[in-house]
Amino acid sequence: MKNYLATILLLFPLMIQAQYKSQVWCPDNGDGTYTNPVINADYSDPDVCVGASGEDFYLTASSFNCIPGLPILHSKDLVNWEIVNYAVKALPPLERYNQPQHGNGVWAPSIRYNQFNSTYYIYWGDPDLGVFVTTAKDPEGEWTTPECIIPGKGMIDTTPLWDEDGKCYLVNGWANSRCQFNSVLTVREMSADGMKQIGDPVIVFDGNGTEDRTAEGPKFYKRDGWYWIMCPAGGVPVGHQLAMRSKSPYGPYESKRVLAIGKTDVNGPHQGGWIHLKSGEDWFLHFQDKEAYGRVVWLEPVTWKDNWPVMGEKATRSPEGGNYCGQPVMKHKKPNVGKTYPIQNPVESDEFNTTVLGKQWQWHANYQQTFGMPSPYGYMRVFCHKQSADFKNMWEAGNLLLQKTPADNFTATTKLRLSAKEENQYGGLIVMGMDYQALVLRRVGDEFQLQQITCKDADKGKPEEVKVLATLKATQKDLVTYQPAYHCDAYLQLHVSYIGGKNAEGNNKHEASVQFAWSKDGKKFQTVGDKFTMRQGKWIGAKIGIMAAETAGKKVRGWVDVDWFRVTK
């Protein structure tokens, strides 16, 4: 490993992070302009708020069953973003989310600053359990344990609004899969602290039977005496953004289409958050669904016409008339925030040189100590997942240490060691989704095999296919212990390449090809195995990272020590 260099680095405060510029995607062009997307990674259903100072911006997004959950990203200019925190360390109830719950958990959160009590709030709907909230005085500090404040099925996409008089209202959408209706938005009154429902829901919008079907993801605002609900409709692949306004939080609301695909190839564009700057400018952050890559974040300028927001650049006429509908911008002048800030991108690479796990990493269930642990010696240890007796595939594993794909084209390389005290303990590099592929080292007898593991339709319980690529000698053998350990070192690598293309409807297909490689010395890599078409997970993009597993039974657990993980061109 890296010996004791990491110990020296531990002397530096952990909160101090160096500026990070990605090799594979940086939206800041360095000339006062930016190129979309501003975050080329899966931050689905993004929402954003202005911090207490008026000069900081905080973004959160859906995290579903991935833990830690509710990522908190910080920016000074809406273009350069850094992962600074997570609001949820463990999802309640623990007996449910201690096991993988793909696609469940945190749906479409909203983040708001309540000026009346100087507190940040994040609301979200768990479609099976109800409306949850967590709060903090500092978004980069500790958040409270999540609390279910409105129990019930089907409530999703929740956003609060604190009015000038201190009253609080909550808007939300509904999940047909849980309550057998959707395409409607409702508003109810909450207690002044936002922690208790005191009014019954009122339907303020119904998109059923119209081009605005699948209305969901509402965000609640107030501007110049008008109540505004920003809402995507029409479905994720080909939908559009609606703006609704009323003089009452309960409506009636009039609506117009304000953002659509137009003449671009940006499918959606879907839900997001509206920001008003001190300079007077308005901006809108939203996601674009890129299928296998997940839902990436775009930034649109907002102009005003007849007291209606027009998002993006001028496009085709709105069906309602009046030319209020914009289309996404590809390149644009950066927001006017009063000064220029350094380039900062979400961190991807990790040397594992601290005793705190990097903020780019998430597990696939509430963290348990047997998933893995950092160390002060320059490596991250991931313990083998003990498979169930009727194991089919890794869809059951919570100990997958994964991060989001950061760009259309990139290379991820890791140096690792598999330590096996039993046969059939294995681990390596994985690209995980409803289909997945991994390049692993597996102990077989006193030797190791380099294997390619492929699974199609993992979410449906389909079995893995294993292909042996090479046989390797053990790097080291510890024969003096009561349970001899065999170790194998290797450099494993995956290349992701954008495929593209069009689907039957003529819309962009965001497919990607994955090719694995390996090396003994980290210098000369050999391409191995079959190419793989990357596929998204349940409501999330495909993720990349480390896996380790072993067959069921009472055995001495094996593990993988990851020296480093680097994302490059």
Side-chain angles (χ1 to χ4, degrees):
M1 297 295 175
K2 295 181 289 295
N3 298 321
Y4 294 95
L5 173 62
T7 305
I8 299 175
L9 295 175
L10 290 175
L11 298 175
F12 293 91
L14 293 177
M15 294 184 67
I16 296 178
Q17 288 193 343
Q19 180 182 341
Y20 184 88
K21 182 177 180 180
S22 172
Q23 293 188 31
V24 295
W25 187 258
C26 179
D28 192 325
N29 298 318
D31 59 0
T33 67
Y34 70 91
T35 299
N36 269 318
V38 290
I39 308 177
N40 202 4
D42 182 34
Y43 287 92
S44 178
D45 314 314
D47 191 39
V48 63
C49 76
V50 181
S53 68
E55 298 177 350
D56 297 281
F57 306 103
Y58 292 99
L59 179 147
T60 192
S62 295
S63 52
F64 302 101
N65 67 297
C66 299
I67 297 296
L70 283 173
I72 308 292
L73 280 75
H74 171 258
S75 178
K76 285 285 191 178
D77 60 8
L78 299 177
V79 172
N80 293 283
W81 291 93
E82 178 185 9
I83 312 169
V84 295
N85 200 6
Y86 286 88
V88 171
K89 294 180 179 178
L91 274 176
L94 299 183
E95 60 272 16
R96 174 179 172 86
Y97 289 107
N98 282 351
Q99 303 299 322
Q101 294 286 334
H102 298 269
N104 296 326
V106 177
W107 282 29
S110 61
I111 183 168
R112 290 292 182 270
Y113 177 68
N114 180 1
Q115 62 181 0
F116 295 102
N117 62 5
S118 303
T119 302
Y120 291 86
Y121 288 70
I122 296 180
Y123 287 77
W124 73 93
D126 183 312
D128 297 303
L129 302 176
V131 177
F132 283 77
V133 66
T134 179
T135 65
K137 291 296 184 180
D138 176 4
E140 300 185 35
E142 287 293 317
W143 289 77
T144 59
T145 300
E147 181 179 348
C148 184
I149 58 172
I150 309 177
K153 281 184 174 290
M155 293 173 286
I156 57 171
D157 307 353
T158 50
T159 304
L161 171 68
W162 278 272
D163 213 338
E164 290 96 338
D165 59 5
K167 288 186 176 181
C168 182
Y169 303 94
L170 189 75
V171 66
N172 69 275
W174 296 84
N176 183 69
S177 59
R178 279 23 179 228
C179 60
Q180 288 71 60
F181 67 87
N182 66 353
S183 297
V184 299
L185 308 179
T186 58
V187 170
R188 72 193 78 197
E189 186 174 356
M190 305 290 289
S191 57
D193 64 358
M195 300 299 288
K196 182 180 179 182
Q197 172 181 310
I198 62 175
D200 292 327
V202 174
I203 295 176
V204 297
F205 184 80
D206 184 355
N208 283 284
T210 74
E211 291 184 344
D212 297 326
R213 66 195 181 282
T214 324
E216 59 186 359
K219 298 295 188 293
F220 218 169
Y221 308 95
K222 195 171 186 184
R223 176 184 186 270
D224 296 337
W226 290 86
Y227 295 89
W228 289 90
I229 295 176
M230 305 295 182
C231 162
V236 173
V238 295
H240 50 269
Q241 276 290 330
L242 294 177
M244 311 176 195
R245 71 181 187 186
S246 174
K247 283 292 187 176
S248 165
Y250 297 110
Y253 284 85
E254 54 181 326
S255 66
K256 292 190 184 296
R257 189 177 298 191
V258 295
L259 179 65
I261 297 174
K263 296 180 180 180
T264 73
D265 291 326
V266 184
N267 66 306
H270 220 61
Q271 73 190 67
W274 167 30
I275 286 291
H276 181 72
L277 305 185
K278 283 183 174 181
S279 63
E281 293 181 350
D282 290 284
W283 295 81
F284 186 70
L285 283 153
H286 66 91
F287 80 71
Q288 175 199 12
D289 187 357
K290 291 179 65 175
E291 298 166 313
Y293 293 99
R295 298 171 175 182
V296 304
V297 182
W298 283 60
L299 177 64
E300 309 292 350
V302 178
T303 55
W304 289 87
K305 178 180 173 65
D306 305 326
N307 196 33
W308 287 98
V310 180
M311 298 177 177
E313 61 187 3
K314 185 177 180 180
T316 56
R317 291 179 62 83
S318 167
E320 298 88 354
N323 200 21
Y324 299 103
C325 187
Q327 68 182 22
V329 300
M330 304 299 151
K331 183 177 179 180
H332 198 273
K333 183 179 179 181
K334 290 169 61 178
N336 177 12
V337 292
K339 60 186 297 186
T340 300
Y341 289 94
I343 288 175
Q344 176 68 56
N345 306 136
V347 172
E348 306 138 352
S349 299
D350 200 335
E351 298 297 314
F352 299 111
N353 280 337
T354 76
T355 56
V356 178
L357 186 61
K359 292 182 174 63
Q360 64 269 51
W361 299 106
Q362 293 174 294
W363 305 98
H364 252 331
N366 284 341
Y367 171 72
Q368 293 146 60
Q369 296 175 80
T370 51
F371 284 2
M373 305 174 189
S375 79
Y377 306 112
Y379 63 83
M380 173 69 191
R381 178 163 295 178
V382 179
F383 290 108
C384 289
H385 162 69
K386 286 190 176 291
Q387 298 167 347
S388 61
D390 60 347
F391 174 80
K392 297 293 191 302
N393 61 59
M394 293 298 288
W395 200 252
E396 72 174 29
N399 74 326
L400 300 173
L401 182 64
L402 305 175
Q403 63 169 282
K404 307 171 191 299
T405 60
D408 289 357
N409 302 284
F410 66 92
T411 298
T413 309
T414 184
K415 179 185 178 185
L416 54 75
R417 162 175 282 197
L418 171 67
S419 295
K421 293 188 174 183
E422 303 275 2
E423 284 201 62
N424 288 315
Q425 292 176 335
Y426 64 100
L429 186 61
I430 189 170
V431 54
M432 183 70 189
M434 288 186 285
D435 298 345
Y436 67 82
Q437 191 173 81
L439 183 64
V440 304
L441 303 170
R442 184 192 296 264
R443 180 180 164 185
V444 179
D446 293 349
E447 296 181 317
F448 290 84
Q449 289 181 352
L450 181 70
Q451 297 181 347
Q452 182 182 67
I453 298 175
T454 305
C455 184
K456 300 290 183 69
D457 296 322
D459 57 316
K460 297 178 182 178
K462 300 298 183 180
E464 298 178 335
E465 295 181 1
V466 178
K467 183 176 183 179
V468 178
L469 305 174
T471 299
L472 310 176
K473 297 294 184 181
T475 305
Q476 180 181 332
K477 299 178 182 180
D478 299 335
L479 302 179
V480 296
T481 61
Y482 77 97
Q483 184 75 29
Y486 290 71
H487 309 281
C488 188
D489 298 339
Y491 297 81
L492 306 181
Q493 187 176 81
L494 64 84
H495 304 270
V496 173
S497 303
Y498 184 75
I499 298 175
K502 299 286 185 179
N503 60 22
E505 291 75 31
N507 300 316
N508 273 3
K509 288 172 62 179
H510 299 284
E511 290 188 350
S513 173
V514 180
Q515 178 67 68
F516 282 92
W518 87 288
S519 173
K520 291 181 179 180
D521 58 9
K523 298 176 182 178
K524 184 178 181 180
F525 281 84
Q526 177 184 350
T527 298
V528 290
D530 303 318
K531 282 190 175 181
F532 171 73
T533 300
M534 192 167 73
R535 187 182 175 198
Q536 65 267 35
K538 184 67 172 178
W539 304 126
I540 63 175
K543 301 183 79 170
I544 57 171
I546 306 300
M547 60 83 65
E550 59 188 47
T551 54
K554 294 183 178 180
K555 301 177 179 179
V556 179
R557 196 184 295 264
W559 63 84
V560 168
D561 285 342
V562 190
D563 192 352
W564 46 257
F565 186 98
R566 296 170 185 165
V567 174
T568 58
K569 292 182 179 179

